[in-house]
Each structure stands twice: as C-alpha cells, then as structure tokens.
Amino acid sequence: MSATPTLTVPQVPLGRTGLTVGRLALGTVKFGRTEGVKYPEPFELPDDEALATLLDTAHDLGINLLDTAPAYGSSEKRLGQLLAGERDRWLLCTKVGERFEGGESSYDFSASAVARSVTRSLEALRVDRLDLVLIHSDGDDLTILESHRTLDVLLALKGDGLIRAVGMSHKTLAGGERAIELGADVLMTTYNRQDTSMAPLLARCAQAGVGVLIKKALASGHDGARALAEVANTPGADCIVVGTINPAHLRANAALVADNP
C-alpha cells in the first residue's frame, strides 16, 4: 500500500519577475503586531518555537513566499532571526511607506524615506537583497506614484541590485493601473467575495505580465475558509496571501488552493 502523497500547493510564475511562487503565501502581520488590526478574534503573538513550527509547516506545504512589512511591528526582525541559515527556502516580500509605532501608522513616501526603509529591512531580515518590495499605500495611490514618484525610487534600487522585483500594494483601481504603466513588476490587490471591484485589473495584469498577489482574500478573516477556493479559481490571481499563526488553518487553506490549481 503506497503512502498518501504530501499535500503541496501548485507553483506558478509571478508575472515577468522570474520568481516562482506557491499559489498560497504566508502573511506575517500576526508575527509582530496585535494593535490596530481588523481580525474578528483577538490573538497573542506566538513565541519563537510556535513560529518555527508554523514556518516548517508552510515549507512542507510548498509555500515559499513570506509577506512582511515595517508596519507589522516586530515581524521583520523576528523573521530575520527565525530564518537564519534557511534563506534559500524563502522568497521575502516587504514594503515601504508605512510604519506603525505607538499604536499609530505614519506614512512617508519620499525618496530618502524609501531608501532608509529598504536599508532597515535588509538589516532586520539579515539579507543582502530583497526578493520583492511593494509600496504600502495610504490610499492616495496617484499622489504616491506621480508626486512622490515612489515607484521610480524602488526601480532605481532594483537597478542597484538591492531588490529583485518591485510593485505596489495599492488601494484604488486607478492606482493599480498607473503602477502598471510606470513599470511595476507586481501588484498586491484586494479581492474577495465582498469586493470584486479589482477584477478588471487582474485581467490587465495578466496581459501586461505583471504578477498579482491577492490580499484580504478572506476579508480579514470575516469570510469563511471556503471563500478561499473561489478566489483561487479567479483568473489572474497568481498567489493568495493569507495571514495565520495556526498550522491547522494553514494546512486547510493549502488544501483549498491545491484543489483549484
């Protein structure tokens, strides 16, 4: 009698980036921050042993992209410690533009702030190059792109070899479209049962070779897990980022995505 095959999520190219990602990624806001989050149930930060177990589970499921940000409290620093010696296992996505301190977010999309943010993320994550860096929008996407020219700064840092791919975690349809026009490699886009307004953008990204990471696929935990299968079945949804600190939930999510390759 043969052994039961190990469940793994499908692997797909992330647009034109040259990166291959599992169709499910692990969001890590719960690794480093409990304040100001919109999840329906309160939670405590896991200890290092629990996070190590979660990361091992993710790896075994074929998940290879970890999504973090300076605005996720101690997430970057903890990942840097937890992934020591295991860098080759993972693709790391972080962000610029937003910080969260003293219970509040602050935003700075200037060239100097972006450069400092990338340097801090490299140090916190203990790496010499970031796989993916996204603009962490405050909602005013067009001002960020056209007045601050933040994407241009990231593209320059990519040219310097500090980043492999760049893009935007945007809030508006117009912002996503403009980011594509300005050369974004990847967009992080909200898409779920309750909000399908970005569907035209998914098709545009597919035509342009721009990778798509889906955020809030479960409406920050307010939709049932089965909704994940519907999002996974959506054309253009390359990779779904789900934040969890529960290995059982992660396995269940992976099963839903694996059934919708």
Side-chain angles (χ1 to χ4, degrees):
M1 182 175 174
S2 61
T4 302
T6 301
L7 168 71
T8 56
V9 298
Q11 307 289 303
V12 297
L14 187 61
R16 59 170 179 258
T17 63
L19 305 175
T20 298
V21 298
R23 293 213 60 218
L24 189 69
L26 180 59
T28 66
V29 64
K30 291 183 177 180
F31 284 33
R33 172 177 158 188
T34 60
E35 295 178 285
V37 292
K38 299 178 180 178
Y39 298 106
E41 300 293 334
F43 62 95
E44 295 183 359
L45 294 183
D47 61 24
D48 287 351
E49 183 178 357
L51 288 182
T53 298
L54 181 73
L55 290 168
D56 284 342
T57 299
H59 178 262
D60 291 345
L61 291 168
I63 294 167
N64 67 338
L65 178 65
L66 302 176
D67 176 64
T68 185
Y72 294 173
S74 59
S75 173
E76 284 186 320
K77 183 177 180 180
R78 297 190 76 187
L79 283 172
Q81 295 167 343
L82 289 161
L83 302 183
E86 298 184 350
R87 175 67 176 94
D88 293 343
R89 279 187 170 195
W90 305 103
L91 298 174
L92 298 176
C93 171
T94 191
K95 305 179 186 73
V96 297
E98 180 184 359
R99 294 184 65 80
F100 186 86
E101 296 173 322
E104 293 184 343
S105 285
S106 61
Y107 296 90
D108 190 341
F109 300 101
S110 66
S112 58
V114 169
R116 285 195 303 271
S117 183
V118 167
T119 297
R120 285 193 298 259
S121 291
L122 288 165
E123 292 171 352
L125 290 164
R126 303 184 184 185
V127 295
D128 56 12
R129 184 170 65 164
L130 298 165
D131 298 300
L132 178 58
V133 178
L134 305 175
I135 299 166
H136 214 166
S137 176
D138 62 355
D140 195 358
D141 293 343
L142 293 181
T143 296
I144 294 166
L145 293 168
E146 296 176 349
S147 297
H148 297 296
R149 305 190 68 84
T150 306
L151 185 59
D152 291 347
V153 178
L154 289 180
L155 287 166
L157 292 170
K158 176 185 172 183
D160 291 340
L162 295 177
I163 306 170
R164 297 175 69 182
V166 301
M168 187 174 201
S169 178
H170 67 102
K171 298 287 183 69
T172 65
L173 183 60
E177 291 173 341
R178 187 65 176 135
I180 293 172
E181 293 170 356
L182 293 173
D185 301 310
V186 176
L187 292 184
M188 180 176 274
T189 299
T190 295
Y191 191 91
N192 55 56
R193 275 180 176 174
Q194 301 175 40
D195 184 358
T196 61
S197 61
M198 298 298 167
L201 193 63
L202 301 187
R204 175 88 183 275
C205 285
Q207 293 171 353
V210 173
V212 175
L213 303 178
I214 298 295
K215 59 183 175 180
K216 303 186 188 303
L218 297 176
S220 297
H222 294 274
D223 278 350
R226 292 298 307 177
L228 196 65
E230 296 177 18
V231 177
N233 236 357
T234 303
D238 295 328
C239 175
I240 302 169
V241 180
V242 174
T244 183
I245 48 177
N246 185 318
H249 290 169
L250 191 62
R251 284 191 290 268
N253 290 338
L256 291 169
V257 171
D259 285 342
N260 293 272

